[in-house]
């Protein structure tokens, strides 16, 4: 959680210094959900996220260096600099992405869950009990894709957990004013799966619920819908001045900061000392600083990378009038190859 | 084509970051010369148009994601305070639902003005636009439509489109080509604040479903004198915004300012460029473009969307059909590349001034 928070704060600094650009959405305040769920997963389990995905990537095990380089748009980033803030992918860690468009990731997660069930039951890989987690927000719960996937997942009993990070706001739209029944967890039973509500600011409670849900999925008992009540301390994105939310509401949730709460718990129950916690803070700061340095020094992608990865075969652009592959024609990247 | 009384007006800029200053070469007559024009930017012009639309028709509604506080680009500022939450309201995050709901409103005789937050998000609504809005009148034999003839209401869908410098894959797309392939709707793209206000009012009052793309790069950057009164600009009429004799350039939206810069540079080399703003892409003004090509014999089309299957292809095919023997050189298209809109590579992807300039020279010297 500390890594998540420190990383996101550094992102903000780097953004304002012009080192990264684009639309960046920070996760401050919601760390308990990411840590509570993702830390229970194995490497082969999959995670599908939204545009607010830096911390999901970090929790899943993508190195901070790779994430920071991706944000800076360098070749050493996890997507070779082609994705940016909103599109963190990692085949190694089974992170099936960041999605800029809300709700688009949920069907993808459903497909990934189906694969693991298929492997277990049809291909008879008996030990394949991989679970998929789909993270999304409260605004997405009013979108058609969400409902379609709840139906499919329950119908086919897929090993998936739908995690709603309900931070009450979809840019400037309050969840309470946009939804007919704001209690999202109730939508689970309507489709035939359990719906659970948990305090998303308390990492231990989230972990308990996550254990149950992930356990259910692993045993093949089907999907679960978990609604985590959480809050984002910053605006929707770094371009959002965040003037609309009531300061009293922000203060209420700031008092429930998951990191402070856990620190307090650890100290009160003598599980760790102040010094230990300070040491963790320091170590994380070093990791983040190192990530920034690494990203700074990494090379920017070359112009030829522009045409790569559009198709499986870069030669997929076909043959130009001069008989050569278009992607090899320097004029192709000038956009004037027909002249 | 309107009167051309002032040429080469330089515009002030709010922020100078990645774009250079541009000018609209004309300040055409919008009919009434009653004074009162103020210098405002694009989102303010659109805001004014929306205020007027809601004022002049009490069955007009504005809805979409986040419109009530003013919208992420401030285009709907003040509307909800002035006209009330029953007429200006937020919808949940469901584009398909938003547009479908708008079609229903329009079919029952209201003026529905739907906002899709970014044109990149219009695809879930694509089904409703193509299969429902475009075909409503046709398949009901004019009984129901997204525009009832006695009161002229209708459906207008507004969406910010186009590159913005840092938008990446999902905040910079130009999907106009997909919609230009659909008979039954209109596609309109303004190039500047004055145009935007007049065109938007025409779209809202047009009895057909219209998709109105607003160049998001220009929301704050483009500043122009815009009359404060209610005025409309005609749809399906292209405008020659710069006279020339050697080559015709055709474009729309934010790309025109880039083309204008290329024209200025080409002029230094003695090439006289004629620049046409299509304004309405569907149905587009073939006559104006054809007349210009008959004059110059050469044409170049430029747009941000990828070149293959972009709207430039339609223009090119039509011009070749109509002006084949007059053409002195192949039709040139300087467009975005055939890749998803990149994040880091945006400067390489975009049809920049230099690419256009190179193409102008190559075409003229063919």
């Amino acid at each position: 959680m500390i890594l998540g928070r420190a990383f996101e704060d550094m992102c903000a600094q780097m953004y304002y210094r012009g080192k990264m650009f684009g639309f960046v959405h920070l996760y401050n305040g919601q760390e308990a959900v990411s840590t509570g769920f993702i830390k229970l997963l194995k490497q082969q389990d999959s995670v599908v996220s939204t545009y607010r995905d830096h911390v999901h990537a970090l929790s899943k095990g993508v190195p901070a260096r790779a994430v920071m380089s991706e944000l800076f748009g360098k070749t050493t980033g996890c997507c070779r600099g082609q994705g940016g803030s909103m599109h963190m992918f990692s085949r190694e860690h089974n992170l099936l992405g960041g999605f800029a468009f809300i709700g688009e990731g949920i069907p993808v997660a459903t497909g990934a869950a189906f694969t693991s069930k298929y492997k277990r039951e049809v291909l008879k890989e008996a030990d394949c009990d991989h679970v998929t987690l789909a993270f999304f927000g409260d605004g997405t719960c009013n979108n058609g894709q969400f409902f379609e996937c709840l139906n499919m997942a329950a119908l086919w009993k897929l090993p998936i957990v739908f995690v709603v990070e309900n931070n009450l706001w979809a840019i400037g739209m309050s969840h309470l004013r946009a939804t007919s029944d704001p209690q999202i967890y109730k939508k689970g039973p309507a489709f035939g799966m359990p719906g659970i509500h948990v305090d998303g600011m308390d990492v231990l409670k989230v972990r308990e619920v996550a254990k149950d849900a992930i356990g259910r999925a692993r045993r093949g008992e089907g999907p679960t819908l978990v609604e985590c009540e959480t809050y984002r301390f910053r605006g929707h994105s770094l371009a959002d001045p965040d003037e609309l939310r009531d300061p009293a509401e922000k203060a209420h949730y700031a008092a429930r900061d998951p990191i402070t709460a856990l620190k307090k718990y650890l100290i009160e129950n003598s599980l760790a000392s102040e010094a230990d916690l300070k040491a963790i803070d320091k170590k994380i700061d070093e990791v983040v600083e190192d990530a920034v340095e690494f990203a700074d020094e990494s090379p920017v992608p070359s112009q030829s990378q522009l045409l790569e990865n559009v198709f499986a075969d870069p030669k997929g652009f076909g043959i130009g009038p001069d008989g050569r592959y278009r992607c090899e024609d320097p004029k192709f990247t000038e956009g004037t190859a027909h002249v | 084509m309107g009167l051309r009384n002032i040429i080469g007006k330089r515009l002030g800029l709010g922020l100078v970051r990645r774009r250079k200053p541009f000018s609209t070469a004309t300040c055409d007559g919008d009919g009434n010369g009653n004074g009162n024009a103020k210098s405002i930017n694009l989102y303010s012009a659109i805001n004014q148009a929306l205020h007027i639309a809601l004022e002049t028709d009490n069955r007009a509604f504005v809805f979409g994601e986040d419109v009530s506080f003013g919208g992420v680009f401030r285009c709907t500022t003040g509307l909800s305070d002035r006209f009330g939450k029953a007429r200006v309201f937020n919808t949940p995050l469901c584009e398909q639902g938003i547009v479908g709901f708008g079609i229903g409103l329009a079919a029952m005789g209201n003026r529905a003005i739907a906002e899709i937050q970014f044109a990149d998000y219009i695809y879930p609504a694509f089904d409703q636009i193509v299969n429902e809005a475009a075909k409503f009148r046709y398949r009901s034999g004019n009984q129901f439509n997204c525009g009832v003839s006695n009161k002229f209401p209708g459906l207008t869908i507004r969406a910010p489109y186009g590159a913005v410098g840092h938008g990446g894959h999902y905040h910079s797309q130009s999907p106009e080509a997909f919609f230009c392939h659909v008979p039954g709707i209109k596609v309109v793209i303004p190039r500047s604040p004055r145009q935007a206000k007049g065109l938007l009012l025409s779209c809202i009052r047009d009895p057909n479903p219209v998709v109105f793309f607003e160049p998001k790069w220009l929301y704050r950057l483009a500043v122009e004198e815009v009359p404060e009164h209610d005025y409309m600009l005609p749809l399906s009429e292209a405008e020659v915004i710069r006279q020339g004799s050697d080559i015709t350039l055709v474009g729309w939206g934010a790309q025109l300012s880039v083309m204008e810069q290329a024209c200025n540079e080409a002029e230094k080399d003695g090439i006289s460029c004629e620049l046409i703003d299509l304004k309405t892409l569907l149905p587009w003004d073939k006559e104006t473009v054809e007349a210009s090509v008959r004059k110059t014999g050469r044409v170049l089309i430029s747009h941000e969307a990828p070149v293959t299957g972009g709207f430039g292809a339609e223009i090119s095919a039509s011009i070749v059909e109509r002006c084949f023997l007059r053409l002195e050189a192949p039709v040139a298209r300087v467009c975005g590349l055939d890749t998803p809109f990149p994040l880091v590579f945006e400067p390489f992807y975009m049809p920049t001034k230099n690419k256009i300039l190179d193409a102008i020279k190559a075409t003229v010297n063919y």
Side-chain angles (χ1 to χ4, degrees), chain B residues 11 13 34 40 46 63 71 80 82 90 120 136 166 189 225 234 241-242 259 261 270 289 305 362 365:
Chain B
L11 302 175
L13 289 173
N34 21 348
I40 56 174
I46 290 175
F63 50 94
S80 134
R82 190 168 161 205
N90 283 343
D120 315 58
F136 227 80
H166 53 267
I189 306 186
E225 296 262 316
I241 62 178
R242 183 193 179 102
M259 293 165 87
Q261 289 172 35
V289 179
N365 296 326

Side-chain angles (χ1 to χ4, degrees), chain A residues 289-326:
Chain A
E289 291 275 346
D290 168 70
V292 172
E293 257 182 57
F294 175 77
D296 246 343
E297 287 161 16
S298 298
V300 177
S302 64
Q303 188 168 351
S304 58
Q305 197 178 316
L306 172 57
L307 294 180
E308 291 174 20
N309 303 134
V310 176
F311 292 109
D313 173 7
K315 299 190 158 105
F317 285 105
I319 298 185
D322 55 359
R324 289 190 303 162
Y325 281 109
R326 279 218 171 78

Side-chain angles (χ1 to χ4, degrees), chain B residues 1-6 26-29 239:
Chain B
M1 290 189 256
L3 296 171
R4 192 147 309 106
N5 37 23
I6 302 170
T26 180
C27 184
D28 67 353
E239 187 183 337

Side-chain angles (χ1 to χ4, degrees), chain A residues 22 81-82 102 143 172-173 334, chain B residues 66 91 93 166 169-170 344 355:
Chain A
Q82 293 183 260
I102 52 149
N143 197 292
M173 284 197 315
E334 289 168 23
Chain B
D66 294 303
T91 56
L93 274 61
H166 53 267
H169 318 83
Y170 297 100
V344 201
K355 289 185 190 178

Side-chain angles (χ1 to χ4, degrees), chain A residues 22-23 81-84 86-87 100-102 139 142-143 170-173 178 244 301-302 306 310 317 332-335 339, chain B residues 66 69 72 90-94 117 120-121 124 166-167 169-171 307 332-334 337-340 343-345 348 355 362:
Chain A
F23 292 98
Q82 293 183 260
M86 295 186 278
H87 309 282
F101 206 135
I102 52 149
N142 293 325
N143 197 292
I171 305 189
M173 284 197 315
L244 294 170
S302 64
L306 172 57
V310 176
F317 285 105
F332 191 66
T333 48
E334 289 168 23
V339 175
Chain B
D66 294 303
F69 77 78
V72 288
N90 283 343
T91 56
L93 274 61
C94 43
Q117 197 161 76
D120 315 58
Y121 306 152
H166 53 267
H169 318 83
Y170 297 100
H171 294 81
V307 60
R333 289 182 294 164
V334 182
L337 302 179
D338 287 331
T339 70
L343 179 59
V344 201
F345 303 114
F348 301 140
K355 289 185 190 178

Side-chain angles (χ1 to χ4, degrees), chain B residues 55-121:
Chain B
E55 212 173 273
T56 49
D57 184 350
N58 63 2
R59 295 184 78 182
F61 299 86
V62 172
F63 50 94
E65 294 166 18
D66 294 303
V67 299
S68 144
F69 77 78
V72 288
F73 293 110
R74 328 298 291 143
C75 293
T76 48
T77 326
L79 290 174
S80 134
D81 289 334
R82 190 168 161 205
F83 298 101
K85 293 202 192 299
R87 293 178 66 193
V88 180
F89 52 91
N90 283 343
T91 56
L93 274 61
C94 43
E95 285 73 18
Q96 185 172 17
I98 292 171
V99 171
F101 169 85
I103 294 172
L105 277 181
M108 296 309 281
N110 302 297
R111 246 183 256 279
I113 306 168
E115 173 175 309
I116 298 290
Q117 197 161 76
F118 282 90
D120 315 58
Y121 306 152

